[in-house]
Amino acid sequence: MFPKLLLFHITALLSVNTLVRGANLGQWGPLIEFPLVPVAAALLHDTGELLVWSAYSTDTFGPTISGQTQTAIYNPATGAVTKKTITNTQHDMFCPGISVDFTGRIMVTGGDTAAKTSIYDVTGNDWIAAPDMKIPRGYQASAILSDGRTFVIGGSWSGGIGGKNGEIYDPTKNSWSLLPGCPVAPMLTADNAGVFRQDNHGWLFAWKNGYVFQAGPSKHMNWYGTTGSGSQTAAGLRASDTDSMAGNAIMYDAVAGKILTVGGAPDYNGSRATRNAHVITIGTPGSTPSVVQINTMWYARAFSNGVVLPDGKVFITGGQTFTDPFTDNNAILTPELWDPTTTKFVKMASNQTPRTYHSVGLLMQDGTVFAGGGGLCGSCHTNHLDGQFYSPPYLFASDGVTRATRPAISSLSATTVKIGGSITVTMAGAVNSFSLIRMASTTHTVNTDQRCIPLTPTVSGLKYTIMVPGDAGVALPGYWMLFALDSAGVPSLAKTVLITL
Ligand SMILES: *[C@@H]1O[C@H](CO)[C@@H](O)[C@H](O)[C@H]1NC(C)=O
C-alpha cells in the first residue's frame, strides 16, 4: 500500500512538471552585451534598429556636466552595435523627457544638461540642437500632441526644484513657450523626498484636440489643455490606488481610450511597491474617465516596464518589490502577460538578469520585446551593460518550443496614409485581424509614444482593407508598425506605416 501511494505521488509530481515544461510561456533569447547601460531607448523607423543611450559616461552619470552623451545603435538583424559619443548638441541626455514627433524625429529634452533640447533625425542619422526649454528639467515627461507640438511637464530632478509647470514646443516656429494654465501642482505625488521626487515621470497620453490626459503616477489624475496659455481640469482619483511612482501606464487600445496601469510605489526611494492594476477609459477631453480596479499582478513592482503587443496584450517585465534605486534587491525575474479579454495576469518565462532602476522595455518590429539596462552607478555591482529579447507565447505553438508559422504581409497599397484614410494589405495567406503600434521611445518607466490601435479589416480574398482612425489624438501621426494576426493570434513581421495629418 505504501509503495503504491508513493508511486501515485511521483506520478502526480511528474505530470505537474511536464505541464510546466510544456506550457507556452514565451522564451528569452541570449544575453546581448552593449557598450553602455541602455538607460534610454528608441526604435529607428527607417531600419528597425534600436537606439540606446546612457549619460556622459557609459556606466555612471553626473554631477560633472560634460555636455555629451554615450549612444549606441543595435542592429537586430546582424547583431552589430555602433557606439557613438554625441558632442555636437552639448547635451548630457541622461534622465530626459523623450517623445517621437510626426516625422519620426526623436526629441530629447533636459536631463543632466537641464535646459537643452536635442533632436535625433533618424533619416539623416544626426543629432540636431533645438532651442533650450524655458524651464530646465530632469525626470519630466514629454508627449507629442495631436497637432504636432510637444508638451512637457514636471522634472525637478534637475535644473532646480519646484515650479515645473507645462511648456510647449512648436516645430513650425522651432520655439518653446510657457503654458501658465498648466500647473504641475495638481499632479504631484506625496513623495517623502518632496517636490524633487513629486513631479517626476508623469503618465501622459496625448488625446483629442491637443489635450493631454495625465493618468499618474499621482493618485490624482488630470486633463491638460494646450491651446492659448493652457488649462487644467481635475479628472478624479485612480479609484483607491496609491501614488504609484515608477509604475507603468500603457494605452493598449487607443480607439476605445483604454489605459492599463500597474504597480509603482508611494515614494521613489524606500517604499513598498504595489500589485495594483487598473483599467482607465478616457473619452471627451475634460470628462471624468471611468476607472476600474482589476485583478492584481502576481508581483508587486516598481521600475518595471510595460509593453503593448500586437494582439493587444500587455507584457510587464522587471522591477523590484521595494523602491531601492541602484540595487537589484527584491528584483522580480518573472514577467507577466495581461490579457484585456480576461483582465487577468499570467506569469511568463523567468529570466536571469534583474531589470530594475534604469531598465527599459520596447516592442521590436518582429514582435519580440527588448528588455535591457539597469544600474548606471559607476563602481556599483548592479550595472547591466546588456539586454535580452523576449519572444512572447504568440511566436510559438502550444508546446512553447516549436516556432509558430507566421503570417506574411506581401504588400501594402500605400506606406503613407492620412488619418481617416485606408490601406489595402495583400497577404500571403488568410489572417483575422490587424493592429498598429506606434514606434516608441522610453526611459525611467515612461513611454508616452506607444499605443495600440486594433483594426478589423474588410476582406476580399487575400486583400484586407484597414481604416486608420480619423482623429489625430487617437492615431497620433508619425511612424507605426502594422502587424497582421492569424486566427491563432500569431503576428506577422511589421510593415512600417507613416500616418500623417
Ligand atoms: C535612497 O535612500 C537611502 C536611505 O536613505 C539612501 O542611502 C540612498 O542614497 C537613496 N537613494 C537615492 C537614489 O536617492
Side-chain angles (χ1 to χ4, degrees):
M1 194 172 164
F2 181 65
K4 241 189 204 164
L5 241 181
L6 191 68
L7 189 68
F8 170 78
H9 277 270
I10 290 169
T11 317
L13 272 175
L14 277 178
S15 64
V16 166
N17 266 335
T18 317
L19 209 74
V20 169
R21 229 182 288 123
N24 187 357
L25 307 178
Q27 279 182 22
W28 290 92
L31 201 65
I32 295 161
E33 286 185 15
F34 279 78
L36 49 78
V37 177
V39 182
L43 197 63
L44 302 185
H45 67 79
D46 57 348
T47 58
E49 291 170 306
L50 196 60
L51 168 69
V52 294
W53 67 95
S54 51
Y56 82 92
S57 157
T58 58
D59 66 358
T60 192
F61 66 96
T64 319
I65 304 298
S66 58
Q68 67 174 34
T69 302
Q70 303 294 347
T71 74
I73 291 176
Y74 175 79
N75 181 329
T78 63
V81 185
T82 314
K83 184 173 179 284
K84 197 169 174 186
T85 306
I86 308 303
T87 55
N88 68 309
T89 62
Q90 293 164 29
H91 184 178
D92 181 343
M93 294 181 259
F94 172 60
C95 292
I98 320 174
S99 51
V100 186
D101 76 9
F102 283 11
T103 60
R105 302 187 312 167
I106 298 157
M107 184 154 174
V108 183
T109 55
D112 246 338
T113 319
K116 291 273 184 192
T117 305
S118 297
I119 297 176
Y120 184 66
D121 170 19
V122 176
T123 32
N125 185 21
D126 201 11
W127 288 90
I128 297 158
D132 285 2
M133 287 184 288
K134 301 285 183 204
I135 301 173
R137 306 167 191 269
Y139 280 2
Q140 74 279 18
S142 155
I144 183 82
L145 304 180
S146 63
D147 59 13
R149 296 179 301 158
T150 301
F151 175 74
V152 297
I153 195 163
S156 286
W157 180 82
S158 186
I161 293 171
K164 306 289 172 111
N165 300 332
E167 66 179 294
I168 197 146
Y169 173 77
D170 184 336
T172 58
K173 298 181 189 145
N174 190 29
S175 70
W176 288 97
S177 50
L178 295 173
L179 290 177
C182 296
V184 73
M187 59 169 275
L188 298 182
T189 68
D191 198 289
N192 62 16
V195 179
F196 175 63
R197 294 295 199 193
Q198 291 172 352
D199 67 2
N200 297 180
H201 309 319
W203 299 352
L204 304 185
F205 293 91
W207 199 236
K208 301 166 184 181
N209 300 324
Y211 276 84
V212 174
F213 179 68
Q214 177 256 322
S218 56
K219 61 186 180 185
H220 294 278
M221 306 184 295
N222 293 281
W223 285 102
Y224 286 102
T226 59
T227 51
S229 57
S231 63
Q232 173 269 333
T233 311
L237 291 167
R238 200 171 47 258
S240 56
D241 202 4
T242 58
D243 286 336
S244 298
M245 182 53 68
N248 307 125
I250 305 100
M251 187 174 265
Y252 64 91
D253 182 346
V255 180
K258 299 276 185 190
I259 298 165
L260 171 72
T261 73
V262 293
D267 303 305
Y268 207 113
N269 186 5
S271 77
R272 221 176 276 279
T274 81
R275 296 164 59 200
N276 298 353
H278 295 84
V279 168
I280 303 172
T281 309
I282 58 173
T284 311
S287 66
T288 304
S290 108
V291 182
V292 177
Q293 185 173 358
I294 56 166
N295 310 268
T296 57
M297 292 189 288
W298 289 95
Y299 300 100
R301 301 171 194 261
F303 305 124
S304 54
N305 284 282
V307 176
V308 66
L309 304 180
D311 58 2
K313 293 182 182 174
V314 181
F315 182 63
I316 310 289
T317 189
Q320 60 191 164
T321 60
F322 193 83
T323 51
D324 201 355
F326 300 117
T327 75
D328 284 336
N329 299 339
N330 308 303
I332 299 297
L333 299 176
T334 303
E336 304 180 39
L337 189 61
W338 181 74
D339 185 338
T341 310
T342 61
T343 74
K344 288 193 172 134
F345 294 88
V346 180
K347 291 184 209 175
M348 292 289 117
S350 300
N351 70 344
Q352 307 295 317
T353 311
R355 302 284 176 207
T356 58
Y357 191 43
H358 289 159
S359 65
V360 291
L362 213 54
L363 180 72
M364 303 296 290
Q365 284 179 316
D366 65 355
T368 63
V369 175
F370 176 72
L376 203 79
C377 38
S379 57
C380 65
H381 298 292
T382 53
N383 276 336
H384 299 289
L385 287 82
D386 51 44
Q388 223 169 337
F389 290 94
Y390 172 74
S391 295
Y394 56 39
L395 295 178
F396 300 93
S398 55
D399 63 5
V401 180
T402 317
R403 287 272 166 180
T405 305
R406 305 183 73 159
I409 298 175
S410 301
S411 64
L412 302 181
S413 61
T415 52
T416 299
V417 60
K418 277 196 159 92
I419 50 165
S422 63
I423 296 179
T424 299
V425 187
T426 305
M427 296 298 306
V431 287
N432 256 34
S433 63
F434 291 81
S435 63
L436 281 162
I437 296 184
R438 198 163 187 275
M439 290 192 167
S441 66
T442 184
T443 190
H444 290 80
T445 68
V446 174
N447 181 341
T448 63
D449 289 303
Q450 79 170 334
R451 59 176 61 190
C452 180
I453 294 177
L455 295 160
T456 307
T458 53
V459 190
S460 168
L462 290 177
K463 290 191 185 299
Y464 298 79
T465 300
I466 53 164
M467 184 90 80
V468 174
D471 195 303
V474 174
L476 266 183
Y479 286 92
W480 292 69
M481 294 180 265
L482 175 67
F483 293 94
L485 295 107
D486 71 13
S487 57
V490 182
S492 65
L493 300 174
K495 292 281 187 202
T496 304
V497 170
L498 175 63
I499 297 178
T500 60
L501 263 188

